[in-house]
C-alpha cells in the first residue's frame, strides 16, 4: 500500500476529522433556471396539455424540450414524462409487454427499473451484472431468455454504459425489444455513441439528484413513430387527438396522467444546455481522484474501459475485505468520521425485496405472478445473481460527492481521508 500522507489519528478513534464542513450542496440552480421558471409563471400557463392535437402533444416548453433533447441525441422523437418511472412504464407498454410476458432486468439498480415491468402486469426476470461495470452481463441476459421474453432493460448504471453491442445482438437474435434505462447516465457514451441511441427506445430521469435535473421529470426517446405515439397515449389517459379533429374523449388504451409541466420543461431546456459542462466537471473530478487516490490491493476505483465514456453519476468502487483486512462497514465508518460521505450502495438485489420474495404486487392473490396468463416459473431465489448479491452484501462502496459544484480542493479532502484510513488499517483491526 502506497501513501503520501503522514497518518494522524483517525477521527473514528478520537482524532481530528479531515473535513468538518459539508460538501457543497447539489444541485445548483442558476439564474438561467430561475429566469426560465419566472417566464412560465408570467405566461399564466403551467401545463398547457389540452384538448387540441397541439395540446395533446404538451405545452410549448414541453414540446421544445422534447425536440431539443431528441436533437441532442440525433433521435427523431422525445416524449416528456413526469418521471423516469412513468417513462419506463410507458416504454414497457409501448413495446407490447403485458400480462403473461417477461422482461429481463438487472437486479443491481433502482427499484423502478423492475417495477415499471410490474406496472404493466408483466413479470421481471433478473439477470446478473458485470462485477467491474455493475451493468447487465450479456451472458446472464441470454441465459435468462424464455419463449415469454418480450424485452430487456439494460441500465447504464452509475454513469457507466452497459455492453450494448452484445446486448443488442442477443436481443435481435431473439426478437426482443431493447429499452435503455439511462436514468443515471445522460451524456455517457458507448463506442462513441450516446446512451439512449442504441435500443428501440430509452428513458432518462431528471429527478434532482441526476446529472441534469428538473426537480422531477423523465424523457423517452426513440426513432420509432409507433413507440412515440403509444407512449404519448400512455402518458395522457390512453387518448389521442387527431390533427384538425375535435377531442373525442376516446380512450384507445389504458393510460395515466404522466405529463410533465411547463416549469419542469423550462428548467430542462436550460439544464440540457449545461449537461456537457456538468458531465465534464464530474469527469474532471473523477480523473483528479483516480490519479491521486492511494493504490490499495483489494480496493478498485471506477473503471473506464476504452469503449466507455463514463459520466460518474456515482463514484462507485469495489472492496475486498479479505485483501484489505477489515470489514467494508468499518472502512466506511472511518471515512464518514473523516467527513467523507460514503456508503454501501444498493442494500440488496431487487429480488430480495418483499415485493418479489412474497410475490405481492396487486391485491392479495399474488397478481400478476399468479395470473393464469403467466405460464412461466420465474425464480427470485437467493443465489440467483451472485455478482449483484456480492456487490450488495460485501463489495460495493459508493460516494456521491464527486460532482459539481465540488472542486479539486474538495477532492483533496477525499484523497487525504482515504490515505489516512488506509494507513490506519492496523489500528482499525484492533
Ligand atoms: C436506474 C434508474 N432507473 C429509474 C429511476 C427512476 O427515476 P425517477 O425518479 O425519475 O422516476 C432511477 C432513479 O433513481 C434510476 O436510478
Amino acid at each position: 500500500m502506497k501513501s503520501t500522507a503522514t497518518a494522524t489519528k483517525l477521527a473514528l478513534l478520537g482524532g481530528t476529522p479531515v473535513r468538518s464542513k459539508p460538501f457543497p450542496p447539489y444541485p445548483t440552480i442558476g439564474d438561467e433556471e430561475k429566469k426560465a421558471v419566472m417566464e412560465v409563471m408570467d405566461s399564466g400557463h403551467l401545463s398547457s396539455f389540452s384538448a387540441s392535437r397541439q395540446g395533446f402533444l404538451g405545452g410549448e416548453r414541453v414540446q421544445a424540450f422534447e425536440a431539443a433533447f431528441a436533437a441532442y441525441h440525433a433521435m427523431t422523437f422525445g416524449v416528456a414524462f413526469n418521471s423516469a418511472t412513468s417513462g419506463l412504464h410507458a416504454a414497457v407498454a409501448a413495446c407490447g409487454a403485458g400480462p403473461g410476458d417477461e422482461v429481463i432486468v438487472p437486479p443491481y439498480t433502482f427499484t423502478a427499473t423492475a417495477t415499471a415491468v410490474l406496472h404493466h402486469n408483466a413479470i421481471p426476470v433478473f439477470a446478473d451484472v458485470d462485477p467491474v461495470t455493475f451493468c447487465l452481463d450479456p451472458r446472464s441476459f441470454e441465459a435468462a431468455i424464455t419463449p415469454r421474453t418480450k424485452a430487456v432493460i439494460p441500465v447504464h448504471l452509475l454513469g457507466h454504459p452497459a455492453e450494448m453491442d452484445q446486448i443488442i445482438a442477443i436481443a435481435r437474435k431473439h426478437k426482443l425489444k431493447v429499452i435503455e434505462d439511462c436514468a443515471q447516465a445522460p451524456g455517457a457514451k458507448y463506442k462513441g455513441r450516446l446512451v439512449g441511441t442504441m435500443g428501440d427506445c430509452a428513458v432518462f430521469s431528471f429527478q434532482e439528484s441526476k446529472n441534469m435535473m428538473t426537480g422531477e421529470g423523465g424523457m423517452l426517446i426513440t426513432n420509432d413513430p409507433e413507440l412515440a405515439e403509444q407512449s404519448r397515449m400512455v402518458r395522457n389517459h390512453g387518448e389521442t387527438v387527431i390533427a384538425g379533429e375535435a377531442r373525442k374523449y376516446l380512450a384507445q388504451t389504458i393510460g395515466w396522467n404522466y405529463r410533465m409541466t411547463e416549469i419542469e420543461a423550462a428548467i430542462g431546456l436550460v439544464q440540457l444546455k449545461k449537461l456537457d459542462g456538468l458531465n465534464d466537471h464530474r469527469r474532471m473530478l473523477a480523473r483528479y481522484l483516480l490519479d491521486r487516490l492511494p493504490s490499495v490491493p483489494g480496493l478498485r476505483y471506477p473503471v473506464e474501459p476504452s469503449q466507455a465514456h463514463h459520466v460518474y453519476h456515482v463514484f462507485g468502487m469495489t472492496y475486498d475485505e479479505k485483501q484489505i483486512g477489515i470489514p467494508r462497514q468499518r472502512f466506511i465508518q472511518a471515512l464518514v468520521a473523516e467527513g467523507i460521505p460514503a456508503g454501501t450502495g444498493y442494500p440488496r438485489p431487487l429480488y430480495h425485496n418483499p415485493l418479489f420474495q412474497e410475490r405481492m404486487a396487486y391485491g392479495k392473490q399474488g397478481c400478476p405472478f399468479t395470473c393464469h396468463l403467466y405460464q412461466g416459473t420465474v425464480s427470485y431465489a437467493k443465489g440467483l445473481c451472485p455478482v449483484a448479491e456480492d456487490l450488495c452484501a460485501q463489495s460495493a462502496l459508493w460516494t456521491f460527492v464527486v460532482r459539481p459544484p465540488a472542486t479539486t480542493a474538495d477532492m483533496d479532502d477525499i484523497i487525504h481521508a482515504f490515505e489516512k484510513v488506509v494507513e490506519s488499517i492496523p489500528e482499525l483491526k484492533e
Side-chain angles (χ1 to χ4, degrees):
M1 292 182 199
K2 180 173 78 66
S3 172
T4 53
T6 308
T8 47
K9 196 170 182 190
L10 282 177
L12 189 64
L13 304 177
T16 309
V18 168
R19 186 177 175 109
S20 43
K21 64 174 192 268
F23 277 76
Y26 185 87
T28 36
I29 297 169
D31 289 341
E32 309 89 320
E33 284 90 344
K34 290 177 190 163
K35 185 166 167 282
V37 168
M38 282 315 294
E39 282 168 9
V40 178
M41 301 299 275
D42 290 339
S43 79
H45 293 287
L46 307 188
S47 172
S48 295
F49 274 88
S50 69
S52 64
R53 171 70 188 171
Q54 209 40 31
F56 165 75
L57 296 174
E60 188 189 317
R61 287 169 185 81
V62 165
Q63 291 188 44
F65 183 32
E66 291 177 337
F69 199 79
Y72 175 87
H73 292 90
M75 298 289 279
T76 318
F77 303 103
V79 184
F81 285 85
N82 55 8
S83 69
T85 305
S86 49
L88 282 167
H89 177 191
V92 169
C95 284
D101 298 327
E102 295 175 344
V103 176
I104 296 174
V105 297
Y108 193 67
T109 175
F110 180 66
T111 332
T113 311
T115 49
V117 176
L118 285 175
H119 288 157
H120 223 58
N121 285 295
I123 303 295
V125 171
F126 293 99
D128 213 348
V129 294
D130 180 275
V132 177
T133 66
F134 307 155
C135 298
L136 186 66
D137 174 352
R139 277 165 309 171
S140 183
F141 156 45
E142 186 154 31
I145 295 172
T146 74
R148 291 165 294 282
T149 313
K150 275 282 183 323
V152 59
I153 311 183
V155 182
H156 305 295
L157 201 83
L158 311 188
H160 192 291
E163 192 47 66
M164 290 309 287
D165 277 354
Q166 289 179 49
I167 291 170
I168 289 178
I170 296 164
R172 295 292 169 253
K173 187 163 90 185
H174 296 271
K175 299 192 170 32
L176 310 180
K177 295 280 190 200
V178 178
I179 301 166
E180 293 179 64
D181 182 337
C182 306
Q184 301 184 3
K189 289 181 195 148
Y190 172 79
K191 298 188 179 170
R193 288 169 279 161
L194 281 168
V195 301
T197 62
M198 294 167 275
D200 294 281
C201 63
V203 177
F204 295 79
S205 170
F206 308 128
Q207 181 272 338
E208 78 167 9
S209 70
K210 299 302 192 299
N211 288 30
M212 66 168 274
M213 67 94 219
T214 62
E216 299 287 350
M219 184 79 77
L220 181 151
I221 58 172
T222 182
N223 281 333
D224 182 333
E226 187 63 21
L227 283 183
E229 190 66 0
Q230 287 293 323
S231 55
R232 285 188 195 115
M233 285 163 67
V234 170
R235 170 176 76 176
N236 204 11
H237 304 289
E239 285 184 41
T240 186
V241 180
I242 297 166
E245 290 186 14
R247 182 181 184 189
K248 298 194 174 107
Y249 290 96
L250 188 64
Q252 315 265 7
T253 181
I254 183 166
W256 286 258
N257 174 354
Y258 284 164
R259 300 182 304 234
M260 177 181 270
T261 69
E262 286 288 277
I263 293 178
E264 290 153 345
I267 299 170
L269 279 162
V270 175
Q271 284 270 306
L272 179 60
K273 290 202 191 106
K274 296 184 176 179
L275 176 62
D276 288 342
L278 292 168
N279 281 340
D280 286 349
H281 193 123
R282 284 178 189 265
R283 287 176 57 75
M284 180 275 292
L285 295 177
R287 177 50 43 211
Y288 188 87
L289 283 181
L290 291 168
D291 288 344
R292 291 168 180 78
L293 280 168
S295 158
V296 183
L299 188 59
R300 189 174 55 218
Y301 301 120
V303 294
E304 187 179 46
S306 57
Q307 82 277 11
H309 178 85
H310 198 325
V311 293
Y312 299 98
H313 176 59
V314 171
F315 195 81
M317 300 158 266
T318 55
Y319 184 94
D320 182 341
E321 175 177 342
K322 281 205 199 78
Q323 284 194 67
I324 296 171
I326 54 167
R328 174 179 64 162
Q329 200 53 47
R330 183 95 171 128
F331 192 95
I332 289 173
Q333 275 170 356
L335 279 178
V336 171
E338 296 301 335
I340 310 303
T344 54
Y346 297 124
R348 66 191 75 81
L350 291 182
Y351 56 85
H352 281 187
N353 282 292
L355 167 65
F356 295 103
Q357 289 298 306
E358 294 162 24
R359 299 188 185 220
M360 289 293 169
Y362 293 105
K364 299 213 175 352
Q365 310 288 316
C367 181
F369 305 100
T370 52
C371 172
H372 70 281
L373 296 172
Y374 182 56
Q375 303 288 307
T377 53
V378 66
S379 168
Y380 298 132
K382 307 242 156 105
L384 179 68
C385 297
V387 176
E389 291 188 16
D390 176 71
L391 286 171
C392 297
Q394 51 216 357
S395 62
L397 172 51
W398 292 8
T399 179
F400 284 96
V401 291
V402 185
R403 62 188 177 191
T407 62
T408 53
D410 295 311
M411 299 303 104
D412 285 337
D413 286 342
I414 298 180
I415 295 159
H416 186 190
F418 266 82
E419 288 173 340
K420 210 174 148 186
V421 173
V422 165
E423 285 186 12
S424 307
I425 283 170
E427 291 100 272
L428 287 167
K429 280 184 188 162
E430 284 157 16

